[in-house]
Amino acid sequence: MEEYMKKNNYGITLIALAVTIIIMLILAGVTISALTGNSGITTQAKHSKTKNELAAYKEQIDLFIADKKMENEEFDEESLFSGKNTLRYNTQNENETGTIKTICPQMKNDYLKRLEIKKGKAILDTKDVTEIEIARSLGINVNPYEISEDGELISSNGNLLLIDTNGTLELPDTVITIGEGAFANTASDGIVLRKVIIPYTVKEIKQNAFNGNNTIEEVEFQTKSGKGVTKIGDFAFANCTNLKSIVIPDTVTDIGSDAFYNCSNMTNIKLSKKIKQISYEMFHSCRALVELNIPEGVTYIGAGGIANCSALKKLVIPSTLNSISDNVFYGSNSIEEINIKDGSGFVYENGMLINKNRTNIYYLSESAVNIETFIIPQGITTLGANLLRNNKIKKVVIPSSVNYIEVDFFTSNVDEIEIATDNPKYIVSNDAIYSKDKKILYMYFSKGSEVTLEDGVTTIGPKAFKNARASIIKLPQSVKELSAYAIYTSYVKKVVIGENINNINRYAFYACDLDLEMKKNNYYIWADGLLYNKDKTKVIECTKNLQQVEIPEGVVEIGDNAFQSRGSIKNIKLASTVSKIGNGTFAGCNGFVEIEIPSKVTVIGTNCFESTNNLKKIVIKKEKESIAGAPWGNRYGDRAIEWNSET
């Protein structure tokens, strides 16, 4: 019995101990919760501290604004911008400097990095939910601009607030990349952009970033210890028609195609010493540019790279240049001086810029083409586009050495072409250039009202009818293929296509306004200005300058470049059955303001909306980012896209 009582007492002691421990843990938990929980003492103390600090800063900012209004009635509250390194406003004395600490002297370093004043408004950069609530309760704005986690300033309406009332855009140093179309054509949003200051932290300026800003006057690239922008994307500063001068820092290694396209008032540009090429149409239509010094290290000039620079007088070519594409100098007819550094692969003699082995002509001076008969020197193998331009040349004599001819080499003034009989590739017959076996038509240059082609021709080459004047073209039954740009003329209004044509390349009817007559063709069908495949499931190309287009039900694909440069189209309705839209399909459709993409679409091709300069609304009936590749070349970037799966 005694032994039993001992065991029983021992058991009670263990139970009591366990109960005591549990009670102590509960009490400890309550205490910790009271101290650290969402409504705990410690947490509340932190919240109170944050609120007091932000309230003090807000009060100091309001007092600063009130003082400035009392000092000068012309003070504009919206002109006040301040941050870690800046302080500026419209009534500021010339020698007055400062930072946000001038306004808030006791500001802590944490807020010094995150609290700014823009257009007179306090703005806090934070993602903390509680801090957001506190800031908003005090009248402090939160995150007015959108920067991704990897530092990309995306295209959004909120980001346009970064532009101050003077039209200055000074980007925060948290930005690493300026996103596609981020500040394209801000004037269309009622915001004038005059000056851009790009901090050294920015590494890349993406496609269309500033495209269409015809009020930009100055772009300042900041560098620090060798750091700065390294890449400028396609069309980044295109159509900035008021930009007069720009200095590209030596940190830049890559400048994309059309980067400065149609900067028509730019008179001077200093290029980075680290670039390797002048890209495709990089300076196209820079009509005020007088001199261009291409830096050492550049090895290649792309097609149209210096085209339509009509005021260009002097060109300096580096010793490193070893390749020039076709059509580089089209429309740049005023070049008087070409300086070529020793070691380059080119020479300039007798008014001709040619390669050293004298096989290619790249530029002809005014004196070289101011004649009626132009004789191509023996040894030349390539006749590139737009070399003769509009002049008084009536006859061209081509030697046996020529093995490649661009139709655009000739102007419409040329009415006689003579080709050496021993030329192994080309022959002239009935006002046309054919392949030696007369299977390929390269160029038809008769100005007659009717087109007469050799029997047996199977292929119509690129731009073959560009210089023709006939209104109707009846292709022989032997023709099987139409090359890209085959019917590239504004004169032709009707083309009769035979039953044997089975290969119509994209762009075949580029920039045409014509009807097609299909005679028993087993591969294609044409209706209401659109060319389809035989079962009418794919739109291949638009052949007319339509204003309204409705894609019929049953069509599942709209082909590459099908509507490219059809600026006359104001509205297009896509069939609900469409699932694929090709590359460049609507590029250059400047009549578009809005387009709706059906829910079945799963693919939109690269640069589908490139140069659709007025397209500011792309409604997509799908979940956000469910189609890859956005914004598909649209100059306004993501701010033009409305994802809507419930529509």
Side-chain angles (χ1 to χ4, degrees), residues 321-377:
L321 189 70
N322 55 42
S323 180
I324 298 177
S325 184
D326 291 333
N327 214 18
V328 165
F329 302 104
Y330 167 65
S332 300
N333 303 332
S334 300
I335 300 175
E336 298 172 351
E337 181 181 353
I338 299 179
N339 294 337
I340 303 175
K341 301 289 181 67
D342 291 342
S344 170
F346 303 91
V347 294
Y348 185 58
E349 59 185 24
N350 301 321
M352 293 192 297
L353 177 64
I354 58 178
N355 55 349
K356 280 190 173 179
N357 57 9
R358 290 168 170 76
T359 59
N360 288 44
I361 302 173
Y362 299 98
Y363 176 75
L364 293 170
S365 68
E366 194 63 34
S367 61
V369 296
N370 192 26
I371 51 179
E372 289 194 2
T373 300
F374 186 75
I375 301 175
I376 310 296

Side-chain angles (χ1 to χ4, degrees), residues 19-33:
V19 170
T20 302
I21 292 171
I22 291 169
I23 292 171
M24 290 177 68
L25 288 172
I26 291 171
L27 291 173
V30 170
T31 304
I32 292 170
S33 177

